């Protein structure tokens, strides 16, 4: 059995791959992964810019009252929620190389219209449609990655994809700070308005890149940079079952009765709630509403980027580590521990400023759940047909974002700033639930794996003598 060091070396050197497969994977990374990462970078940039604009003058210019910022985020979540499943299903019917660029172009134009808003209600309407069109990116990309990459490659790519979104959050903060310093008042527009215009403009070239170079799925691709041999190798690496019609009673029953449906929807719902510790811009709002210290616009936009920086590091470490050693689910115990302890630190009366910053920065490592959870789901359903896998992943994302529609209003509303006491107590409970649910589904998948590991099949009719064929069916992660 190879040692841990040997596994790491083999993973990065790709010793088990042939020269042809290494060349194929390089092309996949260059054309698929780059587009997916740039798309999610822009997606996250457009998501995060609202809070950055809020703390950079939009609150005062548009006369925000009470928890209107939280209401806007909830409306965005509703639009996102309504788009997840249909958009993810459409990826299996339309060419992804046309579908994704169209959606990106649309949301880029919607982002730019935010610069014309004159009151919070205008932004509420804009963000609803922006959420709908942006909803294709996250789950759709995980479906595409699962269509091209093998189990041993998927975690790192999922991690890079998640990290690219977090990098968009970092860039957004730095961009807003730079715009505020250099463009505030230019052409009579406030700096926060320029942020939305620039965000939309820089999204358009990425959409154009996807239109010309994104290769769709292995069976659909007509990309000029793949040889016929490489297309056949891609299909052999990740075998695809014939596409099944999804608007049938049989398909709906199959999805609704699948253990994957309930296991991963509940899992992602819990982890999505835990992720609120870092995704709801709580540190930025803590700084904005802190009564003991007045932070500048530059500080409000730059200092919270440390949350995303920690998230990138954690995501890449867990994604790569679980590629090498297996056990995607192990990350959930770390995430649960992080959520519980960081929330406890924030709740303790008299915690110094450094402690608050440290707790929020550490909570940024919870972002790793995006890569590990969806890579785990893709691993488990690798032998399922693409339509089934796409719908399950879509519902998985749907379940998590259902809570986004009301969770922040209850536990992380702006009028609860700066300490969000109710939300922190909830975070302790949710962290405990994550550890419990992870244990339950790991045990269930192990039990299911034992039942399916040996499948006895009668010899084909006409054979000279009876025989049995022993098949191994991979159910779950390497360690499950």
């Amino acid at each position: 059995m190879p040692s841990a060091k040997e596994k790491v070396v083999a993973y990065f050197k790709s010793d088990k791959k042939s020269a042809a497969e290494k060349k194929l994977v390089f092309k996949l990374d260059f054309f698929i992964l780059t587009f997916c990462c740039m798309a999610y970078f822009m997606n996250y940039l457009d998501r995060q810019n609202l809070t950055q604009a809020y703390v950079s003058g939009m609150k005062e210019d548009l006369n925000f009252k009470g928890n209107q910022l939280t209401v806007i985020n909830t409306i965005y979540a509703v639009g996102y929620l309504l788009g997840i499943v249909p958009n993810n299903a459409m990826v299996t019917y339309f060419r992804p190389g046309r579908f994704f660029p169209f959606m990106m172009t649309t949301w880029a134009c919607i982002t730019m219209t935010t610069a014309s808003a004159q009151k919070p209600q205008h932004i509420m309407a804009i963000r609803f449609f922006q959420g709908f069109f942006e909803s294709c990116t996250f789950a759709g990309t995980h479906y595409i990655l699962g269509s091209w990459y093998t189990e041993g490659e998927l975690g790192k790519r999922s991690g890079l994809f998640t990290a690219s979104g977090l990098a968009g959050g970092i860039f957004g903060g730095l961009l807003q700070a730079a715009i505020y310093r250099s463009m505030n008042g230019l052409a009579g527009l406030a700096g926060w308005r320029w942020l939305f215009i620039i965000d939309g403009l820089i999204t358009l070239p990425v959409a154009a890149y996807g239109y010309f170079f994104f290769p769709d799925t292995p069976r659909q691709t007509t990309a000029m940079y793949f040889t016929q041999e490489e297309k056949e190798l891609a299909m052999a690496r990740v075998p695809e079952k014939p596409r099944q019609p999804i608007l049938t009673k049989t398909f709906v029953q199959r999805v609704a009765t699948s253990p994957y449906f309930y296991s991963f929807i509940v899992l992602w719902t819990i982890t999505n709630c835990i992720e609120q510790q870092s995704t709801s811009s709580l540190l930025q709002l803590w700084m904005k509403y802190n009564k003991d210290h007045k932070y500048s616009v530059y500080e409000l936009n730059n200092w919270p980027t440390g949350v995303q920086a920690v998230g990138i590091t954690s995501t890449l470490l867990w994604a790569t580590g679980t590629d090498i050693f297996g056990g995607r689910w192990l990350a959930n115990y770390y995430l649960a521990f992080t959520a519980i302890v960081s929330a406890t630190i924030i709740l303790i009366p008299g915690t110094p400023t450094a402690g608050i910053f440290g707790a929020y920065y550490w909570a940024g490592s919870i972002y790793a759940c995006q890569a590990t959870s969806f890579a785990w789901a893709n691993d488990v359903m690798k032998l399922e047909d693409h339509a089934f896998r796409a719908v399950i992943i879509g519902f998985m994302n749907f379940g998590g974002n259902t809570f986004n529609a009301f969770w922040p209003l209850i536990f992380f509303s702006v009028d609860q700033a700066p300490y969000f006491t109710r939300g922190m107590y909830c975070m302790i409970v949710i962290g405990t639930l994550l550890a419990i649910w992870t244990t339950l589904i790991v045990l269930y998948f192990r039990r299911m794996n034992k039942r399916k590991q040996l499948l006895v099949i009668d010899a084909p009719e006409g054979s000279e003598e009876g025989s049995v064929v022993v098949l191994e069916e991979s159910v779950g992660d390497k360690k499950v």
Side-chain angles (χ1 to χ4, degrees):
M1 184 175 180
S3 65
K5 181 179 179 181
E6 289 171 336
K7 287 183 179 180
V8 172
V9 171
Y11 177 77
F12 286 103
K13 290 182 67 176
S14 301
D15 287 338
K16 295 181 180 179
K17 290 185 173 70
S18 65
E21 189 173 6
K22 289 179 182 179
K23 185 177 179 181
L24 173 63
V25 173
F26 174 80
K27 289 183 179 181
L28 298 182
D29 288 341
F30 188 85
F31 290 104
I32 297 178
L33 196 61
T34 52
F35 171 72
C36 290
C37 288
M38 287 191 294
Y40 199 44
F41 178 96
M42 296 303 170
N43 185 288
Y44 235 83
L45 184 65
D46 293 342
R47 286 194 213 182
Q48 297 289 318
N49 59 17
L50 185 67
T51 303
Q52 289 151 358
Y54 181 84
V55 300
S56 301
M58 185 177 75
K59 175 181 182 292
E60 292 76 17
D61 290 352
L62 301 190
N63 195 28
F64 272 72
K65 302 292 185 183
N67 67 344
Q68 284 181 316
L69 175 65
T70 310
V71 172
I72 290 173
N73 287 330
T74 297
I75 291 172
Y76 172 91
V78 171
Y80 191 96
L81 185 67
L82 294 176
I84 289 173
V85 175
N87 285 338
N88 217 41
M90 281 192 285
V91 172
T92 69
Y93 274 84
F94 298 100
R95 290 179 57 190
R98 296 293 179 266
F99 181 72
F100 284 134
F102 168 76
M103 300 294 274
M104 285 190 70
T105 301
T106 305
W107 93 54
C109 294
I110 292 173
T111 297
M112 289 187 279
T113 63
T114 312
S116 64
Q118 299 301 316
K119 54 185 179 180
Q121 288 76 11
H122 291 164
I123 299 180
M124 291 176 188
I126 291 169
R127 296 295 278 193
F128 173 84
F129 291 103
Q130 187 168 347
F132 181 87
F133 285 97
E134 288 187 359
S135 65
C136 67
T137 306
F138 185 76
T141 297
H142 280 289
Y143 159 71
I144 292 295
L145 294 179
S147 300
W148 286 96
Y149 290 104
T150 64
E151 183 178 338
E153 300 163 347
L154 192 58
K156 183 170 67 175
R157 273 74 183 183
S158 298
L160 287 170
F161 170 68
T162 300
S164 67
L166 301 180
I170 294 174
F171 181 74
L174 300 176
L175 179 64
Q176 177 60 77
I179 289 173
Y180 190 84
R181 282 186 169 183
S182 60
M183 298 183 68
N184 190 36
L186 182 66
L189 295 178
W192 65 266
R193 294 185 188 273
W194 279 112
L195 175 66
F196 292 108
I197 294 172
I198 293 173
D199 283 356
L201 288 174
I202 63 179
T203 301
L204 295 175
V206 179
Y209 173 79
Y211 181 86
F212 289 107
F213 295 105
F214 194 73
D216 302 314
T217 63
R219 286 190 179 275
Q220 293 174 307
T221 187
T222 57
M224 59 183 177
Y225 47 81
F226 286 138
T227 65
Q228 184 59 36
E229 290 75 16
E230 287 172 335
K231 293 177 185 178
E232 293 173 358
L233 176 59
M235 288 188 285
R237 279 164 36 92
V238 186
E240 179 182 353
K241 290 186 178 180
R243 188 174 70 182
Q244 302 294 322
I246 62 175
L247 297 178
T248 65
K249 182 179 179 180
T250 301
F251 184 85
V252 172
Q253 287 178 337
R254 181 182 166 210
V255 170
T257 57
S258 169
Y260 305 136
F261 181 77
Y262 301 100
S263 298
F264 287 114
I265 285 180
V266 175
L267 176 69
W268 185 241
T269 299
I270 295 172
T271 50
N272 204 282
C273 291
I274 276 188
E275 212 181 9
Q276 295 293 326
Q277 185 86 320
S278 45
T279 59
S280 293
S281 303
L282 301 186
L283 177 56
Q284 212 163 23
L285 294 173
W286 180 86
M287 294 170 65
K288 176 75 174 177
Y289 289 95
N290 190 293
K291 297 177 181 179
D292 299 325
H293 182 80
K294 179 72 173 178
Y295 293 94
S296 68
V297 170
Y298 179 81
E299 292 169 335
L300 286 168
N301 282 289
N302 282 355
W303 290 9
T305 59
V307 175
Q308 284 86 17
V310 172
I312 290 173
T313 304
S314 173
T315 296
L316 294 178
L317 286 175
W318 277 106
T320 303
T322 55
D323 262 357
I324 298 171
F325 302 106
R328 309 261 191 220
W329 48 272
L330 289 172
N332 291 344
Y333 293 112
Y334 166 77
L335 302 178
F337 176 77
T338 298
I340 293 169
V341 176
S342 62
T344 302
I345 292 172
I346 295 168
L347 282 171
I348 295 174
T351 299
T353 298
I356 299 293
F357 271 89
Y360 277 120
Y361 284 155
W362 182 21
S365 64
I366 295 173
Y367 275 115
C369 68
Q370 295 183 17
T372 55
S373 295
F374 281 86
W376 189 13
N378 266 310
D379 289 345
V380 168
M381 297 186 289
K382 185 65 73 176
L383 298 179
E384 302 291 345
D385 64 82
H386 283 205
F388 178 83
R389 183 162 54 85
V391 170
I392 292 291
I393 289 176
F395 270 110
M396 182 178 170
N397 202 22
F398 178 89
N401 282 278
T402 298
F403 276 68
N404 276 350
F406 65 87
W407 201 258
L409 276 174
I410 299 173
F411 296 105
F412 299 107
S413 179
V414 171
D415 54 11
Q416 296 179 40
Y419 290 102
F420 304 100
T421 302
R422 186 189 305 167
M424 294 305 150
Y425 278 115
C426 178
M427 197 61 58
I428 294 172
V429 174
I430 293 296
T432 305
L433 285 178
L434 176 59
I436 294 171
W437 186 252
T438 298
T439 302
L440 290 176
I441 61 175
V442 166
L443 293 175
Y444 179 80
F445 284 152
R446 282 181 172 170
R447 183 181 174 187
M448 188 167 69
N449 191 29
K450 288 179 180 178
R451 289 202 310 264
K452 293 186 176 183
Q453 194 168 14
L454 296 178
L455 179 64
V456 179
I457 303 178
D458 289 334
E461 186 176 347
S463 62
E464 294 184 1
E465 58 182 10
S467 63
V468 295
V469 180
V470 180
L471 300 178
E472 289 187 0
E473 182 172 345
S474 173
V475 180
D477 195 84
K478 295 176 184 176
K479 296 289 188 182
V480 177

